Amino acid sequence: MTEASLIQIAWGFVAGAVLAAAYLWNLWSSVRGIGTARRPWMRLGGALALRLAVALGVFYALARLGGFAALLAAAGGFTVTRLIVVARLAPGHTERT
């Protein structure tokens, strides 16, 4: 494994983590706004379309530019970030010091 491929894998992981943070933030903000929206189904549908388009676009670009290793690293970064966010926001979660 060359240094260039390790850099692609690292950037893929970072891109997946940032993508997951943006994806989950958009999901959170669209669900929070359901109560104040005039057409909640339209808000949710539009937010879903935006989230999926951005996520698929980023994964596609990573697959084309970085290859399979970068795509796999991005999927890993997305999954790890999602697991961390869900665990931190779970009911009953307490900070351990």
Side-chain angles (χ1 to χ4, degrees), residues 19-61:
L19 176 63
Y23 186 94
L24 293 170
W25 175 81
N26 182 277
L27 176 62
W28 175 75
S29 65
S30 63
V31 169
R32 271 192 70 182
I34 290 174
T36 60
R38 263 188 10 209
R39 296 183 183 122
W41 56 271
M42 204 169 188
R43 180 183 185 103
L44 289 176
L48 173 65
L50 176 68
R51 282 193 312 272
L52 288 178
V54 170
L56 290 175
V58 168
F59 283 133
Y60 178 77

Side-chain angles (χ1 to χ4, degrees), residues 5 8-9 19 21 25 27 47 58 69 72 74 88 91:
S5 63
Q8 286 180 333
I9 290 171
L19 176 63
W25 175 81
L27 176 62
V58 168
L72 194 59
R88 302 261 313 159

Side-chain angles (χ1 to χ4, degrees), residues 1 4-13 15-16 56-76:
M1 193 171 278
S5 63
L6 289 175
I7 291 173
Q8 286 180 333
I9 290 171
W11 277 112
F13 188 87
L56 290 175
V58 168
F59 283 133
Y60 178 77
L62 281 169
R64 298 282 293 171
L65 299 174
F68 183 70
L71 178 62
L72 194 59

